[in-house]
Amino acid sequence: MVASLDARAAALRDALIDQGLISGHQVEATQALVDGALAPANGARVVARAWVDAAYKDRLLANATAAAAELGIEGIEGHQMVAVENTESTHNVVVCTQCSCTAWPLLGLPPDWYKSLPYRARVVREARALLAEMGLPIPDRVAIRVWDTSGETRYLVLPGRPAGTDDFSEGQLAALVTREAMIGVSLVKLPHAK
């Protein structure tokens, strides 16, 4: 029987600690980094700020790295970030065709499906069909732009703000934004919306 991924990761961690190759403190520090500095909640804050502050949105689209830094968000794998905006006529989606690069400070570590060969190959060849299979049908009248992120340039999708959120605070808006929406494989929706 094959152990679960979590069980295998724990066994590897324990073996590395037992061999003295890493310390428990290093494991805790790395976990804190992933849970805090490299979290999708950071990107959600950036998106929400862009939705409520037109000048910030302009700065984000001009230089996402600098705009994120304005909110104290920066770090590893975030030296050259670019934001691309979804509009009524264009839907953006992000992929790394070579491996699994993402804008870590804004999106956190990439999800498993993002790293999968089928996603990486199909989103480039047949983005409309793949997005529909993932639950996001894009009308034919909307162009789809696929952005191939790399070690040099990391992309963030600025999704459209959902209708009915005019009275939402910035924090309430940020709570709606998912990593999937910032990659471009889902839309931001109100919790009760289908």
Side-chain angles (χ1 to χ4, degrees), residues 58-144:
D58 290 343
R59 292 192 303 278
L60 175 67
L61 294 172
N63 184 335
T65 305
E70 288 179 35
L71 301 182
I73 302 168
E74 54 193 345
I76 187 169
E77 308 301 334
H79 302 294
Q80 177 60 31
M81 297 184 291
V82 174
V84 292
E85 181 182 16
N86 282 350
T87 66
E88 290 184 17
S89 61
T90 303
H91 181 83
N92 297 285
V93 63
V94 177
V95 64
C96 178
T97 57
Q98 294 185 355
C99 56
S100 60
C101 297
T102 64
W104 288 8
L106 299 176
L107 301 174
L109 299 178
D112 290 340
W113 59 264
Y114 182 86
K115 297 182 277 187
S116 75
L117 289 175
Y119 174 78
R120 291 167 32 206
R122 289 190 63 210
V123 76
V124 174
R125 285 192 334 261
E126 51 184 2
R128 195 172 308 275
L130 178 63
L131 291 172
E133 289 173 21
M134 295 178 81
L136 182 60
I138 303 294
D140 289 338
R141 63 178 168 68
V142 176
I144 298 176

Side-chain angles (χ1 to χ4, degrees), residues 2-14 31 112:
V2 177
S4 74
L5 184 58
D6 288 341
R8 290 184 288 173
L12 177 60
R13 177 201 63 221
D14 292 347
Q31 188 64 51
D112 290 340

Side-chain angles (χ1 to χ4, degrees), residues 152-170:
E152 290 78 37
T153 303
R154 312 292 174 113
Y155 293 95
L156 165 80
V157 173
L158 176 58
R161 182 175 177 168
T165 60
D166 291 342
D167 60 344
F168 280 41
S169 70
E170 193 172 322

